[in-house]
């Protein structure tokens, strides 16, 4: 089984921080780029950030620049999403996804990704 397992979601106050983890099982992430996506209630799933297989290239949507940070630890087969200064608009189910790649590239389109996690709920509320 090739799986991505997310953890770290929950309820947080506005302005608070949260760190999501995405752990791979059944395969190693060394040759995979990783993307984080989110889907708010009633909305389409959208790309948030991505990181290349070696971690040398990242990309962020404007809505999270300066607040979110993606990182990876290939030795631990895990990718992280550090979320700071959270606001209610960040409330969504967050998904990590992996795409096989040889070149150090990073993209946000959903169709580029081969494997998806089950999602982790993040709720930002007072």
């Amino acid at each position: 089984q090739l799986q991505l397992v997310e953890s770290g979601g929950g309820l947080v106050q506005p302005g608070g921080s949260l760190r999501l983890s995405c752990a791979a099982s059944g395969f190693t992430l060394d040759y995979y780029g990783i993307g984080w996506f989110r889907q708010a209630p009633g909305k389409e799933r959208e790309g948030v950030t991505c990181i290349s297989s070696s971690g040398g290239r990242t990309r962020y949507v404007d809505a999270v620049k300066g607040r979110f940070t993606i990182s990876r630890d290939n030795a631990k087969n895990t990718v992280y999403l550090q979320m700071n200064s959270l606001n209610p608009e960040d409330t969504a189910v967050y998904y990590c996804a992996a795409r096989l790649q040889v070149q150090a590239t990073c993209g946000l389109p959903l169709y580029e990704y081969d494997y998806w996690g089950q999602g982790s709920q993040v709720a930002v509320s007072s």
Side-chain angles (χ1 to χ4, degrees), residues 47-61:
V48 178
T49 180
C50 60
I51 188 168
S52 60
S53 58
S54 298
R57 181 169 297 177
T58 59
R59 190 185 304 272
Y60 299 88
V61 295

Side-chain angles (χ1 to χ4, degrees), residues 31-118:
Y31 307 107
Y32 292 82
I34 303 296
W36 283 97
F37 303 81
R38 66 184 182 185
Q39 187 168 18
K43 296 184 178 180
E44 298 293 323
R45 192 174 303 182
E46 63 177 358
V48 178
T49 180
C50 60
I51 188 168
S52 60
S53 58
S54 298
R57 181 169 297 177
T58 59
R59 190 185 304 272
Y60 299 88
V61 295
D62 290 342
V64 306
K65 286 182 179 178
R67 300 189 298 119
F68 290 13
T69 303
I70 187 171
S71 62
R72 65 188 301 158
D73 188 340
N74 285 352
K76 296 181 178 180
N77 217 27
T78 302
V79 178
Y80 305 96
L81 179 63
Q82 179 66 46
M83 303 181 292
N84 299 325
S85 301
L86 287 164
N87 57 63
E89 289 70 40
D90 296 315
T91 296
V93 177
Y94 283 74
Y95 301 87
C96 66
R99 67 170 188 173
L100 182 64
Q101 62 182 175
V102 177
Q103 302 298 319
T105 58
C106 177
L108 291 174
L110 276 67
Y111 67 81
E112 295 183 1
Y113 291 84
D114 304 299
Y115 306 105
W116 291 80
Q118 81 286 353

